[in-house]
Amino acid sequence: MDFSFISDSIVTYGVFLLFAVVAVASAFLVVSVRSVMHSALFLAVFLLSVAAFFFIFDADFLGIVQILLYVGGVIVLILFAVMLTARVSSSLLQQTNEQKYSALIVCALLFIMLSYSILISGLQGFENTLLPGGTAKSVGWLLMTVYVLPFEVASIVLLAALIGAMAIVGKKDE
Amino acid sequence: MTKGFIPEAIMQGLLALTPEVFVLCLAFFIIIADLILPVKSKRNILDIAAVGLTGALLLTIGALFQQGMYIFNNALVVDSFARFFKIIILVSAVFMLLMSRDYKALENNKIGEYTALVVLVTLGMMLMAGASDLLMLFLSIEFVSIVFFVLVGFVKKDSKSREAAVKYFLIGAFSSAVFVYGASFLVGVTGASSFPSIQQYLIAHGISNLFIVGLLLMLVGFGFKIALVPFHMWAPDAYEGAPAPVTAFLSVASKSAGVAVLIRTFLAILPDNSNVNLILALLAAITMTVGNLVALTQNNAKRLLAYSGIAHVGFIMMGFVAYGLFGVQSVLIYTLAYLFTNMGAFAFVIAIYNKTGSDDIRDYGGLSLVSPALAFVFFVFLISLAGVPPTAGFLGKLLVLGAAIDSGYTWLAVIGVLNSVVSLYFYARIAYFMYFAKEKKITEAIKPSLSLNIIIYSSLFMVLYICLLPEQFLNLAKKTVQLLTGSFHGY
């Protein structure tokens, strides 16, 4: 099997494998442990290992953003929400329902299909180019030139979400 | 050319996007108007928005047949195909704002936010119709979904509306995840995110298995957005719970935008659809059948129209499965017919709701006695939904069936015809209650307001006009498809 699309260096490959195992294991724990709090913490571990992937593949900017946004922002938000939930410590909390077996079959099929097609076709679209001086500069340049429209549209999406949030929670007096 | 602060390419892109920029400015204007106007006259904001969107509509119609081009580094394509769908979206947005004016369940003090969201979601759908980059595609689809989550749950006092919003939100978020997962494989395989670059890669390297898998996952995402069976579970609840104008908007505009991106994506990045064609054909057949069979037993008018809308998506997919020039043309005509027919039917549902406070079709009894003219017009919309001549729905159905037979999908066409027969039953059931029900629930004449009358009669005009004088609409569709930019076939 050809894994050259992951990395040529044996050390990088080893570190990648280590974090891959951590990521898959913690992702599995997120959906299988019974306490919501533990789920949230395992999610943090998973997101951190994804950040590690970014660092391994020289995408330092993405790695930092991943830590800042997901671990720093999203996870904290989730933890707050979990702490405000009443049934946090209840051990009766179930993560699955009666459809778990059919879901398992679908997931297994999807997994087989995906791994089969990844192994036979591989992901060769990208060239391995190391950007000088990290990726932050190139990302910034791309955002303001090639991706300027998506960048601006994203800000309009945020505006819409803001108005929407006000419409949902806001109370206006007559 | 002078060398200004804004690079020329961006300036050119913005010029090509004049209608979109206009709609965005309108949204800002509405937010400001909401701050200034007193609560009593807040309903006027809806009029301002309707007039503004009509302006954008005229801008788009004026530029309909301009040469298509890619702008913003292939993020968007502006061609007649995109403009055609923008016209459909803008017309339904204007109709929707007019409907909202008299919709009782909307509170005066929330009108500002409501209108701003409607205008912004219109902008999102216009971007969706032209998206030609996976990033832009995802962003615009998310834009539209996020705003619709809020609009579906806008009437907070109604627990059904809240429940609908939560269901729609959960399933919408899930489908977005599946969509972006699929898109990530496409990017991984080809190393590109814009459709022209993906095309170039495929011409050079051919299609790999992983590419097809990614495309199928994306199809699941699209399927959720346009309510294809088996990804349709959210639609009936969301349609029933949402305020009726939002339901009309969701079922026409959001669906058309979804169909537009679906067709654009497949035409642009799949050289021929033989690999996935059978899957699409099966989905179309299941969608039609399930939509129609479940609609048979519905008593809530909004829910019934939701299931009938699912069935109509099946028909649209049937035209798409045909894939060729004729297939896409038939889809355009069908969507146009569906726009006016469905909007007209929803205007009636709202007019009757405003009078009786009920969406149950069993409460429509006696309508033909107190306002016979209106009942007849409603009847015309119903037979157009069922696809009976001389209405637009008939022409649309005829064309998609023809396209399917033309490309060798006779079995699909047969299923389509059988479904038309089934659908006739539940549309006729509404007519039965209006004309023959023993219990006369409606005892006073229904007088739709001016804005509802505008919708009803202009839709009626278009529904008859499209079928009786179809030539110019067929030419319009033909020319639109010929000017479709970026298709793999180049036709």
Side-chain angles (χ1 to χ4, degrees), chain B residues 179-491:
Chain B
F179 174 84
V180 81
Y181 189 53
S184 77
F185 286 117
L186 259 57
V187 177
V189 170
T190 62
S193 67
S194 70
F195 292 169
S197 321
I198 293 178
Q199 251 179 34
Q200 275 170 12
Y201 176 89
L202 292 182
I203 289 169
H205 298 86
I207 291 188
S208 62
N209 270 10
L210 191 55
F211 188 85
I212 295 292
V213 172
L215 203 60
L216 288 181
L217 284 173
M218 274 172 69
L219 181 65
V220 173
F222 285 134
F224 275 110
K225 299 296 174 215
I226 62 173
L228 272 181
V229 177
F231 316 114
H232 68 292
M233 314 73 88
W234 59 273
D237 289 318
Y239 285 18
E240 190 187 347
V246 175
T247 310
F249 199 39
L250 193 63
S251 70
V252 176
S254 157
K255 223 168 245 183
S256 314
V259 168
V261 286
L262 181 71
I263 292 179
R264 164 94 61 199
T265 312
F266 273 73
L267 286 185
I269 62 180
L270 209 59
D272 68 273
N273 65 342
S274 52
N275 287 312
V276 287
N277 209 353
L278 191 62
I279 297 177
L280 290 174
L282 283 175
L283 282 178
I286 299 171
T287 304
M288 280 189 273
T289 313
V290 171
N292 277 324
L293 289 182
V294 183
L296 287 178
T297 56
Q298 301 303 322
N299 285 324
N300 181 299
K302 282 196 287 183
R303 210 171 167 86
L304 188 140
L305 285 174
Y307 279 111
S308 100
I310 292 172
H312 283 291
V313 167
F315 275 99
I316 291 175
M317 287 297 288
M318 184 157 78
F320 175 51
V321 168
Y323 218 64
L325 184 68
F326 190 41
V328 179
Q329 265 182 50
S330 68
V331 170
L332 294 183
I333 297 285
Y334 199 100
T335 321
L336 196 67
Y338 180 67
L339 160 73
F340 290 110
T341 312
N342 219 28
M343 280 293 170
F346 267 106
F348 269 101
V349 171
I350 291 174
I352 297 171
Y353 173 84
N354 280 345
K355 189 82 187 177
T356 64
S358 160
D359 284 329
D360 198 313
I361 57 171
R362 285 166 298 191
D363 293 346
Y364 287 8
L367 182 67
S368 62
L369 290 178
V370 287
S371 23
L374 275 177
F376 184 71
V377 177
F378 195 13
F379 180 67
V380 172
F381 287 128
L382 290 175
I383 63 171
S384 180
L385 279 171
V388 176
T391 54
F394 168 70
L395 183 69
K397 256 180 200 163
L398 191 69
L399 288 174
V400 291
L401 289 171
I405 293 172
D406 211 34
S407 57
Y409 282 91
T410 316
W411 63 271
L412 190 59
V414 170
I415 293 179
V417 172
L418 290 177
N419 266 300
S420 292
V421 178
V422 173
S423 73
L424 199 55
Y425 171 77
F426 60 81
Y427 294 125
R429 202 163 148 255
I430 302 182
Y432 166 81
F433 281 113
M434 285 192 315
Y435 281 97
F436 304 116
K438 296 220 170 54
E439 229 181 315
K440 310 285 183 240
K441 290 276 177 67
I442 301 173
T443 47
E444 280 175 68
I446 299 229
K447 290 194 188 68
S449 62
L450 176 67
S451 50
L452 283 179
N453 269 328
I454 293 175
I455 301 168
I456 289 170
Y457 289 109
S458 57
S459 297
L460 178 70
F461 174 74
M462 288 306 287
V463 163
L464 295 175
Y465 188 51
I466 290 175
C467 187
L468 296 177
L469 296 163
E471 198 148 324
Q472 39 187 309
F473 290 98
L474 292 174
N475 282 337
L476 178 93
K478 198 170 171 184
K479 211 170 163 194
T480 304
V481 178
Q482 276 163 353
L483 289 170
L484 182 78
T485 303
S487 151
F488 218 111
H489 305 267
Y491 291 123

Side-chain angles (χ1 to χ4, degrees), chain A residues 29-105:
Chain A
L29 285 169
V30 171
V31 292
S32 56
V33 291
R34 286 205 150 184
S35 147
V36 190
M37 193 66 162
H38 289 167
S39 276
L41 292 176
F42 280 121
L43 186 62
V45 176
F46 169 73
L47 293 171
L48 275 174
S49 26
V50 172
F53 290 155
F54 286 133
F55 286 117
I56 292 170
F57 298 128
D58 299 309
D60 48 355
F61 179 73
L62 283 184
I64 290 166
V65 167
Q66 170 85 9
I67 291 179
L68 274 180
L69 280 185
Y70 282 91
V71 186
V74 174
I75 284 294
V76 170
L77 205 65
I78 289 178
L79 284 179
F80 264 114
V82 167
M83 281 190 270
L84 292 173
T85 322
R87 299 199 303 160
V88 180
S89 48
S90 158
S91 57
L92 296 171
L93 218 56
Q94 266 211 316
Q95 289 229 22
T96 50
N97 61 12
E98 67 277 6
Q99 293 183 345
K100 64 179 162 187
Y101 294 110
S102 42
L104 207 64
I105 293 169

Side-chain angles (χ1 to χ4, degrees), chain B residues 30-74:
Chain B
I30 283 161
I31 295 169
I32 296 168
D34 180 34
L35 291 173
I36 297 169
L37 286 175
V39 174
K40 268 186 298 179
S41 47
K42 286 258 162 107
R43 296 238 162 206
N44 293 332
I45 296 176
L46 290 166
D47 301 339
I48 300 173
V51 171
L53 289 182
T54 312
L57 177 66
L58 294 177
L59 282 176
T60 316
I61 292 178
L64 182 60
F65 291 127
Q66 271 176 24
Q67 191 60 44
M69 61 173 169
Y70 287 99
I71 50 173
F72 288 103
N73 294 77
N74 301 339

